[in-house]
Amino acid sequence: MGDSFGSAWWRGYAAQLKAIAEARRPDHLAIMPLGETLKALGKQTEVDEGVYDVPLEGIVGTVARAGDFDREFRPRNRALRDRWDRLTRTSADLPPVRLVRLSDMFFVDDGHHRVAIARARGATTIRARVRWISTVACALRCLTLADLPSKTAERMFLERVPLPDDVRLGL
């Protein structure tokens, strides 16, 4: 895979056209916004997990840049090209990206371009400082925007009918 901005942008554009042509759910390629996701799932506790390697396929959302990248971190905004090009040319060691984790879903707080470039280069993991937030409703990597209303209902049920973890998680 090439790491040029143009090839990444075109891959994202082609994926959008393919999704339209296949009449897939319109949110299939939409990046998950952390705020909306947390509102639906319900925030409980928060812990700094430190720095470790995170699987890139688990990074499906963003804290604040939903319009700039798709769910697979292909650029959607051509104005990102200059930053992308500078980062692909640098030989400096870059700091770990900052992520927020909800179960097996990760959301980028800082390092969107680094995540996008790593994915474009075919990497499988990226070094990250991770902050974990536990949620009332279960957070699964396959969640899309269309799933958030049902997750809101799940959260409301679990807030009203507390279940033991083994029952709630189906253990």
Side-chain angles (χ1 to χ4, degrees):
M1 289 192 210
D3 68 357
S4 76
F5 179 86
S7 66
W9 186 89
W10 277 110
R11 280 193 306 275
Y13 184 70
Q16 287 175 334
L17 292 177
K18 181 179 177 190
I20 291 167
E22 293 176 354
R24 296 179 84 170
R25 291 183 359 197
D27 68 340
H28 173 72
L29 293 174
I31 196 166
M32 295 294 290
L34 178 64
E36 288 179 48
T37 306
L38 269 179
K39 183 178 177 185
L41 299 175
K43 180 178 177 180
Q44 287 185 314
T45 59
E46 193 170 323
V47 176
D48 181 356
E49 292 187 312
V51 177
Y52 59 91
D53 290 336
V54 170
L56 282 164
E57 68 183 16
I59 303 174
V60 297
T62 181
V63 172
R65 302 201 48 188
D68 288 342
F69 299 91
D70 71 9
R71 189 177 176 104
E72 297 192 14
F73 278 83
R74 293 175 292 222
R76 296 181 64 205
N77 180 347
R78 288 181 182 249
L80 304 175
R81 179 184 295 270
D82 290 341
R83 174 98 172 116
W84 179 289
D85 289 343
R86 277 194 311 275
L87 284 173
T88 58
R89 287 190 308 263
T90 187
S91 60
D93 282 339
L94 299 172
V97 298
R98 283 197 328 258
L99 304 176
V100 175
R101 179 173 76 87
L102 309 179
S103 186
D104 67 349
M105 301 174 74
F106 292 88
F107 297 77
V108 179
D109 185 21
D110 179 58
H112 292 78
H113 287 82
R114 288 174 278 161
V115 168
I117 291 167
R119 287 188 81 146
R121 289 178 171 167
T124 57
T125 63
I126 192 164
R127 197 83 174 147
R129 170 163 291 285
V130 180
R131 183 171 41 113
W132 172 65
I133 298 175
S134 67
T135 57
V136 176
C138 191
L140 302 171
R141 184 180 1 200
C142 60
L143 285 180
T144 65
L145 291 172
D147 299 317
L148 294 184
S150 64
K151 284 298 182 177
T152 299
E154 178 184 339
R155 174 190 46 83
M156 291 170 65
F157 172 80
L158 291 170
E159 287 172 342
R160 291 186 179 116
V161 182
L163 300 171
D165 283 346
D166 60 335
V167 173
R168 189 169 76 88
L169 300 173
L171 301 175

